[in-house]
Amino acid sequence: MKIFVTGNSHSACLIEAWKQVQGSSPHQIDFFVRGGSGVKDYRIDGTRIEAGNDDFRGYLARLGLRDSFDLAEYDARVVIGAEVSPFLMISILNKCHVLGWPDPNRRGAQEITERCLQAALADGLRGANGGQMVAALQALPGLGARPMLVVPQPFPSERLRTMGTAGAGFLRTIRGRIAPRAAAGFADVATRTFADLGAHFLPQPEDTTADFILTPEAFTSRAKRLIDLDKVQPKGDFLHANAAFGARILNQILDTLEA
Amino acid sequence: MSFYADLPDRCFWRRCLRRPRFDFAEIYQPTVTIEAGEPIATAGSCFAQKIGRELKRSDARFLDLEPAPPGMSEATGIGFGYGLYSARYGNIYTTAQLLQLAEDAFSDHVREDALWTKDGAWFDGLRPRIEPGGFARRADVVTARRSHLRQVRRLFTEASVFVFTLGLTERWEHAETGTVYQLCPATVDPAFGAPEHRFHNTGVSDVVSELTRFIALVRSHAPDLRFLFTVSPVPLAATATGGHVLPATIRSKSVLRAAVDEVVTTLPGCDYFPSYEIATANPLLRDAFDAGQREVKDEVVAEIMTTFFAAHPGLSRTLPDTAAEEPDTVCDEILLDASRT
């Protein structure tokens, strides 16, 4: 099976995992990635996608990656991260309180219904770079029937429990006992939103989560940087996952495609 | 010598006809001025959405105390009542509604006769269209209303200028409690109708009284707040009087226009902007409305707002991207017509 992967820095864990099994795998995976919010400077011509400028071509060259792909040659496409993120949910919960949820609204946040929360989240996912990439790739002629998977940015590391202000919204959902609802709500809305776009959303595997909405240290320590896979993320990083997590995602992708 | 001899050209119809744009450069000399950075709040009938949209594009500080949740698109937000005004109150067509909102806000009062239910869902009868599908529980609509009233209180105390567009005199109210509804409840949905709901067509003295009480109440909490009134040029979608809709429209607008005049000439810190006149009585413009003859054409709104901004030199305006599509105005009143089709 030939798989095309596009995404942002959260692709690094998958690249790492892939490198470890690449030699013995019957599959082929090619990456078209960029840090930040993901690939934006690209051109599409028919079924071909390529870097849209010298800057991006240079970026891919430094990573040892190709800058042009004919997607008609691929059996499946995967979008990873690229703003498809539980942070979208948390940014709403940071500003609003959901009516009927058990956490007390001590901050006097604006009250919204769960339907309103879901509508905002769905819009956020569609407007995310990953959502736009899914729409763009689904519009390629003749490829709509081929599988398209969406892998979200992982939940932040449980390391943030010991950090000052970072990720306070995630910790607040845990303290307020709404983390299960937030995590399930994110997965549910993402599943429906991407299904509408013809894609299949892969929620973060439950056994890679802690308190429903964090990622255990075992899957985040020594996470590598996309821009230099020989280097680990800076000490304060709590966003990125490691090769062990990447291996879980790789299996999840392959299991889904082979099912 | 005639008293008229010393009057400026703008006072004479024939001379205005000879001047560019009927001399609109002099149609509005604001006594309530707005400067860059001043917090402005808007409310009113659906035409007020157009004014608010233009103010958002200026360097005034447009207050939006109940913004859409992060990520929600403008189109989705409008369906939930976000982004239309400075808080999520939906269209406020009558001065009675406005007064009631301020009274409820400052007394934290939730009206039992405005908690409506249908098919297990609950609705806020004072803004029934802000939550598509309604609220899941009665407690939720009460909590949401209290949260809304809190933001309305903030709005009145944080704003420097409150812009209100008067739309209708015809209103529906609860015969026993006096609660005033946004629309005829049974028109929103037959399930919301009740025998106690009655029609009332307000007169000039009522509107003057309601506006005066509103201003007094709000100023008891925000003494420096100034008010800018306009009258919506949009005709009635339907009249409940049983008469012809055209005289009903003129009657309604005339009452509102006369009442506002009395208020702004008697109360300090109150002003009137003649958007109604520019759209409906402009001799150079015989066709201010779109094909349906209710929606004011974009170019007329542009003319109105050009006149407005020209009179407020302290404000800069960002002209809209002509390629960008404007969102449709949310007009709940159109339901009155839809109920017959």
Side-chain angles (χ1 to χ4, degrees), chain B residues 117-151:
Chain B
T117 183
K118 184 195 175 190
D119 297 336
W122 288 84
F123 296 83
D124 183 341
L126 302 181
R127 42 179 195 153
R129 299 182 74 199
I130 58 123
E131 193 62 47
F135 295 82
R137 289 163 288 266
R138 186 183 187 281
D140 290 350
V141 68
V142 171
T143 303
R145 178 126 200 105
R146 285 198 196 286
S147 169
H148 170 61
L149 292 176
R150 211 163 41 238
Q151 297 311 319

PDB file of all heavy atoms in Angstrom, chain B residues 117-151:
ATOM      1  N   THR B 117     -41.823  26.063  25.857  1.00  0.00           N
ATOM      2  CA  THR B 117     -41.348  24.699  25.598  1.00  0.00           C
ATOM      3  C   THR B 117     -42.115  24.086  24.437  1.00  0.00           C
ATOM      4  O   THR B 117     -43.298  24.386  24.216  1.00  0.00           O
ATOM      5  CB  THR B 117     -41.474  23.830  26.868  1.00  0.00           C
ATOM      6  OG1 THR B 117     -40.936  22.538  26.596  1.00  0.00           O
ATOM      7  CG2 THR B 117     -42.920  23.704  27.331  1.00  0.00           C
ATOM      8  N   LYS B 118     -41.402  23.252  23.714  1.00  0.00           N
ATOM      9  CA  LYS B 118     -42.020  22.520  22.608  1.00  0.00           C
ATOM     10  C   LYS B 118     -41.218  21.249  22.358  1.00  0.00           C
ATOM     11  O   LYS B 118     -39.987  21.305  22.243  1.00  0.00           O
ATOM     12  CB  LYS B 118     -42.022  23.373  21.334  1.00  0.00           C
ATOM     13  CG  LYS B 118     -42.735  22.678  20.186  1.00  0.00           C
ATOM     14  CD  LYS B 118     -42.453  23.326  18.848  1.00  0.00           C
ATOM     15  CE  LYS B 118     -43.106  22.499  17.762  1.00  0.00           C
ATOM     16  NZ  LYS B 118     -42.688  22.916  16.424  1.00  0.00           N
ATOM     17  N   ASP B 119     -41.912  20.147  22.278  1.00  0.00           N
ATOM     18  CA  ASP B 119     -41.277  18.853  21.990  1.00  0.00           C
ATOM     19  C   ASP B 119     -40.093  18.584  22.923  1.00  0.00           C
ATOM     20  O   ASP B 119     -39.046  18.074  22.483  1.00  0.00           O
ATOM     21  CB  ASP B 119     -40.809  18.794  20.525  1.00  0.00           C
ATOM     22  CG  ASP B 119     -41.971  18.905  19.551  1.00  0.00           C
ATOM     23  OD1 ASP B 119     -43.103  18.569  19.946  1.00  0.00           O
ATOM     24  OD2 ASP B 119     -41.732  19.330  18.407  1.00  0.00           O
ATOM     25  N   GLY B 120     -40.206  18.983  24.158  1.00  0.00           N
ATOM     26  CA  GLY B 120     -39.159  18.689  25.127  1.00  0.00           C
ATOM     27  C   GLY B 120     -38.036  19.712  25.155  1.00  0.00           C
ATOM     28  O   GLY B 120     -37.185  19.681  26.041  1.00  0.00           O
ATOM     29  N   ALA B 121     -37.997  20.628  24.170  1.00  0.00           N
ATOM     30  CA  ALA B 121     -36.946  21.654  24.158  1.00  0.00           C
ATOM     31  C   ALA B 121     -37.507  22.948  24.759  1.00  0.00           C
ATOM     32  O   ALA B 121     -38.718  23.190  24.724  1.00  0.00           O
ATOM     33  CB  ALA B 121     -36.477  21.903  22.737  1.00  0.00           C
ATOM     34  N   TRP B 122     -36.611  23.744  25.307  1.00  0.00           N
ATOM     35  CA  TRP B 122     -37.003  25.002  25.935  1.00  0.00           C
ATOM     36  C   TRP B 122     -36.459  26.189  25.148  1.00  0.00           C
ATOM     37  O   TRP B 122     -35.374  26.119  24.584  1.00  0.00           O
ATOM     38  CB  TRP B 122     -36.501  25.053  27.379  1.00  0.00           C
ATOM     39  CG  TRP B 122     -37.269  24.129  28.272  1.00  0.00           C
ATOM     40  CD1 TRP B 122     -37.041  22.785  28.443  1.00  0.00           C
ATOM     41  CD2 TRP B 122     -38.417  24.448  29.060  1.00  0.00           C
ATOM     42  NE1 TRP B 122     -37.967  22.259  29.300  1.00  0.00           N
ATOM     43  CE2 TRP B 122     -38.825  23.249  29.707  1.00  0.00           C
ATOM     44  CE3 TRP B 122     -39.127  25.624  29.302  1.00  0.00           C
ATOM     45  CZ2 TRP B 122     -39.918  23.208  30.564  1.00  0.00           C
ATOM     46  CZ3 TRP B 122     -40.206  25.584  30.160  1.00  0.00           C
ATOM     47  CH2 TRP B 122     -40.596  24.380  30.780  1.00  0.00           C
ATOM     48  N   PHE B 123     -37.233  27.273  25.123  1.00  0.00           N
ATOM     49  CA  PHE B 123     -36.858  28.453  24.345  1.00  0.00           C
ATOM     50  C   PHE B 123     -36.991  29.705  25.207  1.00  0.00           C
ATOM     51  O   PHE B 123     -37.858  29.783  26.061  1.00  0.00           O
ATOM     52  CB  PHE B 123     -37.770  28.590  23.115  1.00  0.00           C
ATOM     53  CG  PHE B 123     -37.614  27.454  22.141  1.00  0.00           C
ATOM     54  CD1 PHE B 123     -38.300  26.261  22.338  1.00  0.00           C
ATOM     55  CD2 PHE B 123     -36.762  27.574  21.053  1.00  0.00           C
ATOM     56  CE1 PHE B 123     -38.140  25.203  21.459  1.00  0.00           C
ATOM     57  CE2 PHE B 123     -36.599  26.518  20.167  1.00  0.00           C
ATOM     58  CZ  PHE B 123     -37.293  25.328  20.376  1.00  0.00           C
ATOM     59  N   ASP B 124     -36.096  30.667  24.932  1.00  0.00           N
ATOM     60  CA  ASP B 124     -36.190  31.977  25.568  1.00  0.00           C
ATOM     61  C   ASP B 124     -37.162  32.807  24.737  1.00  0.00           C
ATOM     62  O   ASP B 124     -36.841  33.242  23.626  1.00  0.00           O
ATOM     63  CB  ASP B 124     -34.796  32.632  25.596  1.00  0.00           C
ATOM     64  CG  ASP B 124     -34.795  33.977  26.310  1.00  0.00           C
ATOM     65  OD1 ASP B 124     -35.882  34.579  26.467  1.00  0.00           O
ATOM     66  OD2 ASP B 124     -33.712  34.436  26.703  1.00  0.00           O
ATOM     67  N   GLY B 125     -38.356  33.013  25.253  1.00  0.00           N
ATOM     68  CA  GLY B 125     -39.403  33.699  24.495  1.00  0.00           C
ATOM     69  C   GLY B 125     -39.082  35.141  24.161  1.00  0.00           C
ATOM     70  O   GLY B 125     -39.742  35.737  23.315  1.00  0.00           O
ATOM     71  N   LEU B 126     -38.067  35.713  24.805  1.00  0.00           N
ATOM     72  CA  LEU B 126     -37.723  37.098  24.515  1.00  0.00           C
ATOM     73  C   LEU B 126     -36.691  37.199  23.396  1.00  0.00           C
ATOM     74  O   LEU B 126     -36.407  38.283  22.899  1.00  0.00           O
ATOM     75  CB  LEU B 126     -37.213  37.788  25.782  1.00  0.00           C
ATOM     76  CG  LEU B 126     -38.220  37.759  26.945  1.00  0.00           C
ATOM     77  CD1 LEU B 126     -37.655  38.473  28.163  1.00  0.00           C
ATOM     78  CD2 LEU B 126     -39.549  38.390  26.530  1.00  0.00           C
ATOM     79  N   ARG B 127     -36.103  36.072  23.044  1.00  0.00           N
ATOM     80  CA  ARG B 127     -35.168  36.000  21.911  1.00  0.00           C
ATOM     81  C   ARG B 127     -35.222  34.563  21.383  1.00  0.00           C
ATOM     82  O   ARG B 127     -34.240  33.816  21.471  1.00  0.00           O
ATOM     83  CB  ARG B 127     -33.755  36.428  22.319  1.00  0.00           C
ATOM     84  CG  ARG B 127     -33.334  35.889  23.673  1.00  0.00           C
ATOM     85  CD  ARG B 127     -31.933  36.278  24.085  1.00  0.00           C
ATOM     86  NE  ARG B 127     -31.535  35.408  25.196  1.00  0.00           N
ATOM     87  CZ  ARG B 127     -30.292  35.080  25.474  1.00  0.00           C
ATOM     88  NH1 ARG B 127     -29.305  35.533  24.743  1.00  0.00           N
ATOM     89  NH2 ARG B 127     -30.019  34.291  26.487  1.00  0.00           N
ATOM     90  N   PRO B 128     -36.388  34.201  20.851  1.00  0.00           N
ATOM     91  CA  PRO B 128     -36.658  32.784  20.594  1.00  0.00           C
ATOM     92  C   PRO B 128     -35.821  32.154  19.493  1.00  0.00           C
ATOM     93  O   PRO B 128     -35.787  30.931  19.376  1.00  0.00           O
ATOM     94  CB  PRO B 128     -38.144  32.776  20.202  1.00  0.00           C
ATOM     95  CG  PRO B 128     -38.441  34.158  19.753  1.00  0.00           C
ATOM     96  CD  PRO B 128     -37.543  35.055  20.544  1.00  0.00           C
ATOM     97  N   ARG B 129     -35.154  33.000  18.696  1.00  0.00           N
ATOM     98  CA  ARG B 129     -34.446  32.408  17.556  1.00  0.00           C
ATOM     99  C   ARG B 129     -32.934  32.388  17.733  1.00  0.00           C
ATOM    100  O   ARG B 129     -32.192  32.189  16.772  1.00  0.00           O
ATOM    101  CB  ARG B 129     -34.825  33.151  16.283  1.00  0.00           C
ATOM    102  CG  ARG B 129     -36.328  33.051  15.992  1.00  0.00           C
ATOM    103  CD  ARG B 129     -36.697  33.731  14.709  1.00  0.00           C
ATOM    104  NE  ARG B 129     -36.268  32.946  13.558  1.00  0.00           N
ATOM    105  CZ  ARG B 129     -36.131  33.443  12.329  1.00  0.00           C
ATOM    106  NH1 ARG B 129     -36.358  34.713  12.115  1.00  0.00           N
ATOM    107  NH2 ARG B 129     -35.755  32.672  11.332  1.00  0.00           N
ATOM    108  N   ILE B 130     -32.453  32.595  18.958  1.00  0.00           N
ATOM    109  CA  ILE B 130     -31.000  32.613  19.126  1.00  0.00           C
ATOM    110  C   ILE B 130     -30.423  31.219  19.336  1.00  0.00           C
ATOM    111  O   ILE B 130     -29.216  31.039  19.290  1.00  0.00           O
ATOM    112  CB  ILE B 130     -30.551  33.522  20.296  1.00  0.00           C
ATOM    113  CG1 ILE B 130     -31.197  33.055  21.600  1.00  0.00           C
ATOM    114  CG2 ILE B 130     -30.852  34.976  20.038  1.00  0.00           C
ATOM    115  CD1 ILE B 130     -30.212  32.737  22.651  1.00  0.00           C
ATOM    116  N   GLU B 131     -31.267  30.252  19.594  1.00  0.00           N
ATOM    117  CA  GLU B 131     -30.744  28.917  19.878  1.00  0.00           C
ATOM    118  C   GLU B 131     -31.507  27.904  19.023  1.00  0.00           C
ATOM    119  O   GLU B 131     -32.582  27.427  19.428  1.00  0.00           O
ATOM    120  CB  GLU B 131     -30.913  28.603  21.370  1.00  0.00           C
ATOM    121  CG  GLU B 131     -30.139  27.413  21.843  1.00  0.00           C
ATOM    122  CD  GLU B 131     -28.626  27.557  21.703  1.00  0.00           C
ATOM    123  OE1 GLU B 131     -28.076  28.604  22.086  1.00  0.00           O
ATOM    124  OE2 GLU B 131     -27.999  26.617  21.187  1.00  0.00           O
ATOM    125  N   PRO B 132     -30.993  27.596  17.835  1.00  0.00           N
ATOM    126  CA  PRO B 132     -31.709  26.666  16.965  1.00  0.00           C
ATOM    127  C   PRO B 132     -31.936  25.331  17.677  1.00  0.00           C
ATOM    128  O   PRO B 132     -31.002  24.752  18.216  1.00  0.00           O
ATOM    129  CB  PRO B 132     -30.760  26.486  15.775  1.00  0.00           C
ATOM    130  CG  PRO B 132     -29.824  27.649  15.846  1.00  0.00           C
ATOM    131  CD  PRO B 132     -29.722  28.033  17.275  1.00  0.00           C
ATOM    132  N   GLY B 133     -33.155  24.891  17.730  1.00  0.00           N
ATOM    133  CA  GLY B 133     -33.451  23.629  18.421  1.00  0.00           C
ATOM    134  C   GLY B 133     -33.734  23.803  19.893  1.00  0.00           C
ATOM    135  O   GLY B 133     -34.179  22.878  20.567  1.00  0.00           O
ATOM    136  N   GLY B 134     -33.454  24.992  20.412  1.00  0.00           N
ATOM    137  CA  GLY B 134     -33.784  25.282  21.800  1.00  0.00           C
ATOM    138  C   GLY B 134     -32.781  24.732  22.799  1.00  0.00           C
ATOM    139  O   GLY B 134     -31.734  24.188  22.438  1.00  0.00           O
ATOM    140  N   PHE B 135     -33.111  24.889  24.060  1.00  0.00           N
ATOM    141  CA  PHE B 135     -32.269  24.436  25.167  1.00  0.00           C
ATOM    142  C   PHE B 135     -32.782  23.077  25.650  1.00  0.00           C
ATOM    143  O   PHE B 135     -33.981  22.797  25.569  1.00  0.00           O
ATOM    144  CB  PHE B 135     -32.310  25.443  26.320  1.00  0.00           C
ATOM    145  CG  PHE B 135     -31.727  26.793  25.980  1.00  0.00           C
ATOM    146  CD1 PHE B 135     -32.490  27.744  25.300  1.00  0.00           C
ATOM    147  CD2 PHE B 135     -30.422  27.114  26.319  1.00  0.00           C
ATOM    148  CE1 PHE B 135     -31.963  28.994  24.983  1.00  0.00           C
ATOM    149  CE2 PHE B 135     -29.886  28.356  26.003  1.00  0.00           C
ATOM    150  CZ  PHE B 135     -30.662  29.300  25.334  1.00  0.00           C
ATOM    151  N   ALA B 136     -31.890  22.290  26.198  1.00  0.00           N
ATOM    152  CA  ALA B 136     -32.272  20.924  26.592  1.00  0.00           C
ATOM    153  C   ALA B 136     -33.158  20.920  27.831  1.00  0.00           C
ATOM    154  O   ALA B 136     -34.039  20.074  27.961  1.00  0.00           O
ATOM    155  CB  ALA B 136     -31.021  20.088  26.831  1.00  0.00           C
ATOM    156  N   ARG B 137     -32.908  21.832  28.748  1.00  0.00           N
ATOM    157  CA  ARG B 137     -33.629  21.831  30.024  1.00  0.00           C
ATOM    158  C   ARG B 137     -34.132  23.246  30.346  1.00  0.00           C
ATOM    159  O   ARG B 137     -33.547  24.231  29.906  1.00  0.00           O
ATOM    160  CB  ARG B 137     -32.696  21.377  31.158  1.00  0.00           C
ATOM    161  CG  ARG B 137     -32.340  19.898  31.134  1.00  0.00           C
ATOM    162  CD  ARG B 137     -31.117  19.613  31.990  1.00  0.00           C
ATOM    163  NE  ARG B 137     -29.948  20.149  31.318  1.00  0.00           N
ATOM    164  CZ  ARG B 137     -29.166  19.432  30.504  1.00  0.00           C
ATOM    165  NH1 ARG B 137     -29.423  18.165  30.300  1.00  0.00           N
ATOM    166  NH2 ARG B 137     -28.130  19.982  29.909  1.00  0.00           N
ATOM    167  N   ARG B 138     -35.164  23.286  31.163  1.00  0.00           N
ATOM    168  CA  ARG B 138     -35.683  24.577  31.617  1.00  0.00           C
ATOM    169  C   ARG B 138     -34.596  25.349  32.368  1.00  0.00           C
ATOM    170  O   ARG B 138     -34.431  26.556  32.178  1.00  0.00           O
ATOM    171  CB  ARG B 138     -36.899  24.343  32.518  1.00  0.00           C
ATOM    172  CG  ARG B 138     -37.627  25.594  32.934  1.00  0.00           C
ATOM    173  CD  ARG B 138     -38.772  25.243  33.882  1.00  0.00           C
ATOM    174  NE  ARG B 138     -39.598  26.391  34.188  1.00  0.00           N
ATOM    175  CZ  ARG B 138     -39.268  27.330  35.064  1.00  0.00           C
ATOM    176  NH1 ARG B 138     -38.131  27.256  35.715  1.00  0.00           N
ATOM    177  NH2 ARG B 138     -40.076  28.355  35.285  1.00  0.00           N
ATOM    178  N   ALA B 139     -33.867  24.625  33.215  1.00  0.00           N
ATOM    179  CA  ALA B 139     -32.809  25.284  33.992  1.00  0.00           C
ATOM    180  C   ALA B 139     -31.765  25.917  33.073  1.00  0.00           C
ATOM    181  O   ALA B 139     -31.179  26.950  33.401  1.00  0.00           O
ATOM    182  CB  ALA B 139     -32.136  24.273  34.921  1.00  0.00           C
ATOM    183  N   ASP B 140     -31.555  25.309  31.916  1.00  0.00           N
ATOM    184  CA  ASP B 140     -30.539  25.837  30.996  1.00  0.00           C
ATOM    185  C   ASP B 140     -30.961  27.185  30.412  1.00  0.00           C
ATOM    186  O   ASP B 140     -30.142  28.098  30.284  1.00  0.00           O
ATOM    187  CB  ASP B 140     -30.303  24.855  29.848  1.00  0.00           C
ATOM    188  CG  ASP B 140     -29.589  23.595  30.292  1.00  0.00           C
ATOM    189  OD1 ASP B 140     -29.111  23.567  31.453  1.00  0.00           O
ATOM    190  OD2 ASP B 140     -29.519  22.642  29.498  1.00  0.00           O
ATOM    191  N   VAL B 141     -32.232  27.293  30.033  1.00  0.00           N
ATOM    192  CA  VAL B 141     -32.668  28.552  29.441  1.00  0.00           C
ATOM    193  C   VAL B 141     -32.657  29.658  30.506  1.00  0.00           C
ATOM    194  O   VAL B 141     -32.311  30.819  30.211  1.00  0.00           O
ATOM    195  CB  VAL B 141     -34.045  28.393  28.746  1.00  0.00           C
ATOM    196  CG1 VAL B 141     -35.161  28.151  29.710  1.00  0.00           C
ATOM    197  CG2 VAL B 141     -34.380  29.608  27.902  1.00  0.00           C
ATOM    198  N   VAL B 142     -32.950  29.306  31.740  1.00  0.00           N
ATOM    199  CA  VAL B 142     -32.894  30.304  32.820  1.00  0.00           C
ATOM    200  C   VAL B 142     -31.446  30.734  33.053  1.00  0.00           C
ATOM    201  O   VAL B 142     -31.137  31.939  33.151  1.00  0.00           O
ATOM    202  CB  VAL B 142     -33.508  29.733  34.120  1.00  0.00           C
ATOM    203  CG1 VAL B 142     -33.263  30.672  35.296  1.00  0.00           C
ATOM    204  CG2 VAL B 142     -35.010  29.488  33.933  1.00  0.00           C
ATOM    205  N   THR B 143     -30.549  29.772  33.120  1.00  0.00           N
ATOM    206  CA  THR B 143     -29.128  30.094  33.319  1.00  0.00           C
ATOM    207  C   THR B 143     -28.599  30.942  32.167  1.00  0.00           C
ATOM    208  O   THR B 143     -27.871  31.920  32.373  1.00  0.00           O
ATOM    209  CB  THR B 143     -28.298  28.793  33.433  1.00  0.00           C
ATOM    210  OG1 THR B 143     -28.827  28.012  34.499  1.00  0.00           O
ATOM    211  CG2 THR B 143     -26.839  29.092  33.688  1.00  0.00           C
ATOM    212  N   ALA B 144     -28.967  30.565  30.947  1.00  0.00           N
ATOM    213  CA  ALA B 144     -28.496  31.317  29.769  1.00  0.00           C
ATOM    214  C   ALA B 144     -29.042  32.745  29.800  1.00  0.00           C
ATOM    215  O   ALA B 144     -28.338  33.693  29.451  1.00  0.00           O
ATOM    216  CB  ALA B 144     -28.934  30.613  28.491  1.00  0.00           C
ATOM    217  N   ARG B 145     -30.289  32.875  30.240  1.00  0.00           N
ATOM    218  CA  ARG B 145     -30.871  34.223  30.275  1.00  0.00           C
ATOM    219  C   ARG B 145     -30.161  35.085  31.325  1.00  0.00           C
ATOM    220  O   ARG B 145     -29.859  36.243  31.087  1.00  0.00           O
ATOM    221  CB  ARG B 145     -32.374  34.158  30.565  1.00  0.00           C
ATOM    222  CG  ARG B 145     -33.015  35.502  30.655  1.00  0.00           C
ATOM    223  CD  ARG B 145     -34.209  35.694  29.732  1.00  0.00           C
ATOM    224  NE  ARG B 145     -34.464  37.122  29.540  1.00  0.00           N
ATOM    225  CZ  ARG B 145     -34.182  37.802  28.452  1.00  0.00           C
ATOM    226  NH1 ARG B 145     -33.652  37.197  27.403  1.00  0.00           N
ATOM    227  NH2 ARG B 145     -34.416  39.078  28.367  1.00  0.00           N
ATOM    228  N   ARG B 146     -29.891  34.494  32.484  1.00  0.00           N
ATOM    229  CA  ARG B 146     -29.182  35.261  33.523  1.00  0.00           C
ATOM    230  C   ARG B 146     -27.793  35.668  33.031  1.00  0.00           C
ATOM    231  O   ARG B 146     -27.332  36.785  33.283  1.00  0.00           O
ATOM    232  CB  ARG B 146     -29.067  34.438  34.801  1.00  0.00           C
ATOM    233  CG  ARG B 146     -30.363  34.333  35.579  1.00  0.00           C
ATOM    234  CD  ARG B 146     -30.109  33.897  37.018  1.00  0.00           C
ATOM    235  NE  ARG B 146     -31.323  33.440  37.661  1.00  0.00           N
ATOM    236  CZ  ARG B 146     -32.307  34.234  38.076  1.00  0.00           C
ATOM    237  NH1 ARG B 146     -32.216  35.541  37.910  1.00  0.00           N
ATOM    238  NH2 ARG B 146     -33.385  33.734  38.649  1.00  0.00           N
ATOM    239  N   SER B 147     -27.136  34.777  32.355  1.00  0.00           N
ATOM    240  CA  SER B 147     -25.809  35.075  31.802  1.00  0.00           C
ATOM    241  C   SER B 147     -25.923  36.227  30.799  1.00  0.00           C
ATOM    242  O   SER B 147     -25.093  37.152  30.785  1.00  0.00           O
ATOM    243  CB  SER B 147     -25.253  33.815  31.125  1.00  0.00           C
ATOM    244  OG  SER B 147     -24.110  34.096  30.375  1.00  0.00           O
ATOM    245  N   HIS B 148     -26.953  36.178  29.975  1.00  0.00           N
ATOM    246  CA  HIS B 148     -27.191  37.239  28.986  1.00  0.00           C
ATOM    247  C   HIS B 148     -27.448  38.583  29.684  1.00  0.00           C
ATOM    248  O   HIS B 148     -26.863  39.602  29.311  1.00  0.00           O
ATOM    249  CB  HIS B 148     -28.385  36.833  28.120  1.00  0.00           C
ATOM    250  CG  HIS B 148     -28.903  37.908  27.221  1.00  0.00           C
ATOM    251  ND1 HIS B 148     -28.130  38.488  26.224  1.00  0.00           N
ATOM    252  CD2 HIS B 148     -30.120  38.524  27.145  1.00  0.00           C
ATOM    253  CE1 HIS B 148     -28.850  39.403  25.591  1.00  0.00           C
ATOM    254  NE2 HIS B 148     -30.050  39.445  26.130  1.00  0.00           N
ATOM    255  N   LEU B 149     -28.297  38.559  30.698  1.00  0.00           N
ATOM    256  CA  LEU B 149     -28.632  39.811  31.394  1.00  0.00           C
ATOM    257  C   LEU B 149     -27.403  40.426  32.054  1.00  0.00           C
ATOM    258  O   LEU B 149     -27.261  41.654  32.117  1.00  0.00           O
ATOM    259  CB  LEU B 149     -29.736  39.560  32.431  1.00  0.00           C
ATOM    260  CG  LEU B 149     -31.118  39.204  31.847  1.00  0.00           C
ATOM    261  CD1 LEU B 149     -32.098  38.872  32.972  1.00  0.00           C
ATOM    262  CD2 LEU B 149     -31.660  40.335  30.978  1.00  0.00           C
ATOM    263  N   ARG B 150     -26.507  39.550  32.527  1.00  0.00           N
ATOM    264  CA  ARG B 150     -25.255  40.045  33.114  1.00  0.00           C
ATOM    265  C   ARG B 150     -24.453  40.828  32.065  1.00  0.00           C
ATOM    266  O   ARG B 150     -23.897  41.891  32.350  1.00  0.00           O
ATOM    267  CB  ARG B 150     -24.450  38.828  33.605  1.00  0.00           C
ATOM    268  CG  ARG B 150     -23.587  39.087  34.791  1.00  0.00           C
ATOM    269  CD  ARG B 150     -23.132  37.831  35.506  1.00  0.00           C
ATOM    270  NE  ARG B 150     -22.737  36.727  34.668  1.00  0.00           N
ATOM    271  CZ  ARG B 150     -23.298  35.516  34.713  1.00  0.00           C
ATOM    272  NH1 ARG B 150     -24.264  35.260  35.551  1.00  0.00           N
ATOM    273  NH2 ARG B 150     -22.878  34.548  33.925  1.00  0.00           N
ATOM    274  N   GLN B 151     -24.416  40.302  30.864  1.00  0.00           N
ATOM    275  CA  GLN B 151     -23.654  40.982  29.809  1.00  0.00           C
ATOM    276  C   GLN B 151     -24.360  42.260  29.361  1.00  0.00           C
ATOM    277  O   GLN B 151     -23.697  43.235  28.990  1.00  0.00           O
ATOM    278  CB  GLN B 151     -23.446  40.037  28.615  1.00  0.00           C
ATOM    279  CG  GLN B 151     -22.630  38.797  28.940  1.00  0.00           C
ATOM    280  CD  GLN B 151     -21.349  39.123  29.689  1.00  0.00           C
ATOM    281  OE1 GLN B 151     -20.657  40.096  29.382  1.00  0.00           O
ATOM    282  NE2 GLN B 151     -21.022  38.316  30.686  1.00  0.00           N
TER     283      GLN B 151
END
